[in-house]
Amino acid sequence: MLNMRLAQPEHLIDLNDLIELDRVIDHGEWVEVGALTRHHRVATAPEIRQGVPLLADAAATIGHYAIRQRGTLGGSLVQADPAAQLPLVAVTLGADVMVRSRRGRRTVAAAEFLRAIMSVDLAGDELVTGVCFPRQPDGERWAFDLFSRRHGDFAIVAVALTLQLDDAGAIVALRLGVGGVGPVPMRLTAVEQRAVGLVPDGDTILDLARNAAAAITPEDDPLVPAKYRRDLVETLTARALRRVTADWPEVTT
Amino acid sequence: MTAPVTLSLAVNGAVHEVTVPPRKLLSDVLREDLGLTGTHVGCEHGVCGACTILIDGQPARACLTFAVQMEGHDLTTIEAVSEGDRLSPLQQALHQVHGLQCGFCTPGIIMTVTAYLRDHPDPDEVEIRDLLSGNLCRCTGYQNIVKAVIRAAAEIRARAPA
Ligand SMILES: Cc1cc2nc3c(=O)[nH]c(=O)nc-3n(C[C@H](O)[C@H](O)[C@H](O)COP(=O)(O)OP(=O)(O)OC[C@H]3O[C@@H](n4cnc5c(N)ncnc54)[C@H](O)[C@@H]3O)c2cc1C
Ligand code: FES
Ligand code: FES
């Protein structure tokens, strides 16, 4: 924010030495990740890889190795870049952001915390202390995918999804989040509802992906036409759905 | 608070006192106040990787860090990579397989890869290319850098006590 001259604060507080906020705690139903946890740790911590694998996979795609050693979960959420990986996963999984100030503590749903482009529900005296991610249920499948022009750049469009199937192979629950298509990442609830009960074969996947593309209203910008973003949503959604169905290891082996 | 502050920085095993404005970047303090000009500065946006150093052993962009943040941390720069005149295995490999031309990107690459090989001694080529994506090189086309990393990793493994 400072580097891009987007912020010119009078005072700057360095949180990096609050190492007690660099932590991962497994509470069973929830996995709590401290605000100062670096992306690299989010991508590799065993508690996250097991309990919230969508989060770990997404974190592994952020920037580059050296960037992941320094960037933090709290910083990424508060910066609230519309295409950032971690806010997208927080919204998709319904995570809670934990906020603290001298006045007390409060918890905000990630979808409400992220208000607009680079704008969040946080007062001047408040600090994000961590994020609680609900544990992904056993047997749930997940996929994270993005498209960027150069490897390691912020995504143009990113897609996060989780899928549960019943014994007959029909969809019990789909969570589908997209980033980079509006001011904040969002769930495509209409597509999620449409999916329930369907068997995700090739045609169904194409239909769901087309519906996802139709559900968003990206704006034209000088570098990326709206149609291009919509096409990306369709392609990435179809690819992610294929990855959790036909290409899912348990199914093919 | 813009008046210069005095701080002590632990760089390459020695402690230095510097008096610098709080808004001065670590990359500039290393180069201008400590004379450690091996840390290069390209983009000053965290993108090119030329300024990569190690903070507490982990690669980080010196251009995205203020020097005042670094009290109590252990910094390593390219100047500490070779032992006297003896090049490190990675430096030697870059030299042998022509992994550099102008050399502007090289210090950042050496810092990034040195730390990576310490934690991942046997990377495959895909992993190496993913790693190098964080360091821009406008000369070599990367092929020989990849070769050098493979060679250095083998050399380091061969040297490690079994
Ligand atoms: C070359 C490069 C490539 C990148 N690529 C990606 C990418 O592909 N995807 C991606 O998502 N990100 C990417 N990033 C962003 C990066 O990963 C960091 O997440 C981001 O820069 C935030 O950095 P930080 O965690 O150090 O937070 P800071 O920069 O320190 O802070 C960001 C903002 O959050 C506030 N803040 C930080 N922590 C807290 C807290 N605990 N409580 C309250 N407010 C807080 C700060 O005041 C500031 O306004 C990239 C960055 C670079 C330099
Ligand atoms: S100068 Fe720091 S990354 Fe380019
Ligand atoms: S050798 Fe010239 S930039 Fe890499």
Side-chain angles (χ1 to χ4, degrees):
Chain A
M1 303 286 277
L2 290 174
N3 187 274
M4 296 296 176
R5 307 300 192 261
L6 290 173
Q8 301 185 340
E10 248 172 77
H11 302 279
L12 183 64
I13 304 170
D14 184 12
L15 303 179
N16 281 291
D17 292 336
L18 287 179
I19 49 172
E20 59 273 31
L21 291 186
D22 178 355
R23 63 178 177 201
V24 180
I25 307 171
D26 191 338
H27 295 294
E29 288 296 288
W30 298 84
V31 178
E32 178 186 339
V33 188
L36 263 284
T37 312
R38 314 279 172 183
H39 305 329
H40 180 69
R41 183 162 178 206
V42 173
T44 53
E47 300 90 334
I48 300 178
R49 293 218 64 83
Q50 280 159 21
V52 203
L54 177 67
L55 175 63
D57 281 2
T61 68
I62 298 173
H64 314 282
Y65 189 67
I67 298 300
R68 294 195 292 275
Q69 304 297 323
R70 290 301 286 175
T72 65
L73 173 63
S76 178
L77 267 146
V78 176
Q79 184 167 323
D81 188 290
Q85 282 86 337
L86 303 181
L88 169 58
V89 172
V91 167
T92 305
L93 295 182
D96 283 333
V97 181
M98 298 181 295
V99 175
R100 190 168 169 186
S101 69
R102 290 180 62 188
R103 293 173 287 134
R105 298 165 191 257
R106 65 189 177 97
T107 299
V108 203
E112 279 146 43
F113 182 75
L114 301 161
R115 281 191 167 154
I117 292 187
M118 298 186 155
S119 158
V120 293
D121 172 11
L122 197 70
D125 62 345
E126 286 181 316
L127 195 67
V128 172
T129 55
V131 181
C132 275
F133 291 89
R135 173 179 294 277
Q136 294 180 235
D138 285 343
E140 184 175 78
R141 302 163 181 209
W142 70 92
F144 187 89
D145 207 350
L146 61 78
F147 180 81
S148 62
R149 282 227 181 73
R150 282 166 312 208
H151 186 77
D153 279 5
F154 270 98
I156 296 176
V157 169
V159 168
L161 69 77
T162 67
L163 182 78
Q164 291 175 50
L165 298 175
D166 65 16
D167 292 341
I171 296 175
V172 176
L174 169 72
R175 292 185 282 195
L176 174 60
V178 290
V181 300
V184 292
M186 56 177 145
R187 291 262 297 263
L188 300 182
T189 43
V191 182
E192 295 176 355
Q193 281 155 16
R194 182 187 182 93
V196 174
L198 301 177
V199 175
D201 56 17
D203 287 343
T204 309
I205 286 176
L206 278 183
D207 171 69
L208 290 173
R210 278 194 202 113
N211 273 280
I216 57 162
T217 49
E219 284 179 19
D220 271 314
D221 79 43
L223 290 174
V224 187
K227 174 170 185 331
Y228 187 63
R229 270 188 219 276
R230 228 180 267 119
D231 287 351
L232 279 176
V233 168
E234 181 174 330
T235 305
L236 292 174
T237 304
R239 205 152 85 183
L241 280 168
R242 258 178 242 122
R243 206 186 296 158
V244 292
T245 52
D247 296 339
W248 192 254
E250 286 169 12
V251 177
T252 47
T253 53
Chain B
M1 197 179 72
T2 50
V5 289
T6 300
L7 40 132
S8 54
L9 294 178
V11 187
N12 302 334
V15 177
H16 303 267
E17 255 198 15
V18 290
T19 302
V20 297
R23 52 162 293 135
K24 191 161 180 177
L25 296 175
L26 177 59
S27 44
D28 291 336
V29 170
L30 289 171
R31 292 176 55 84
E32 295 167 11
D33 297 85
L34 297 178
L36 297 171
T37 52
T39 298
H40 291 169
V41 173
C43 65
E44 296 200 303
H45 277 312
V47 176
C48 76
C51 68
T52 307
I53 61 159
L54 306 186
I55 300 177
D56 301 323
Q58 296 303 328
R61 306 295 203 223
C63 76
L64 294 183
T65 310
F66 293 118
V68 285
Q69 295 178 274
M70 287 296 115
E71 270 197 315
H73 294 277
D74 192 28
L75 306 178
T76 312
T77 68
I78 183 68
E79 283 83 359
V81 169
S82 60
E83 299 154 27
D85 286 342
R86 234 180 105 222
L87 297 180
S88 78
L90 178 61
Q91 288 174 312
Q92 186 69 34
L94 283 163
H95 171 68
Q96 281 166 342
V97 305
H98 306 290
L100 64 151
Q101 289 178 24
C102 79
F104 191 83
C105 67
T106 314
I109 288 182
I110 292 175
M111 299 318 286
T112 308
V113 174
T114 302
Y116 191 84
L117 291 182
R118 181 198 61 212
D119 296 339
H120 310 82
D122 195 6
D124 61 27
E125 189 176 328
V126 174
E127 219 179 315
I128 294 170
R129 287 180 184 275
D130 180 59
L131 175 69
L132 289 173
S133 72
N135 294 77
L136 298 182
C137 175
R138 296 289 86 156
C139 300
T140 66
Y142 301 96
Q143 305 299 339
N144 289 343
I145 304 179
V146 174
K147 276 187 209 152
V149 176
I150 293 171
R151 182 187 275 234
E155 170 69 19
I156 295 168
R157 285 196 308 274
R159 281 194 201 176

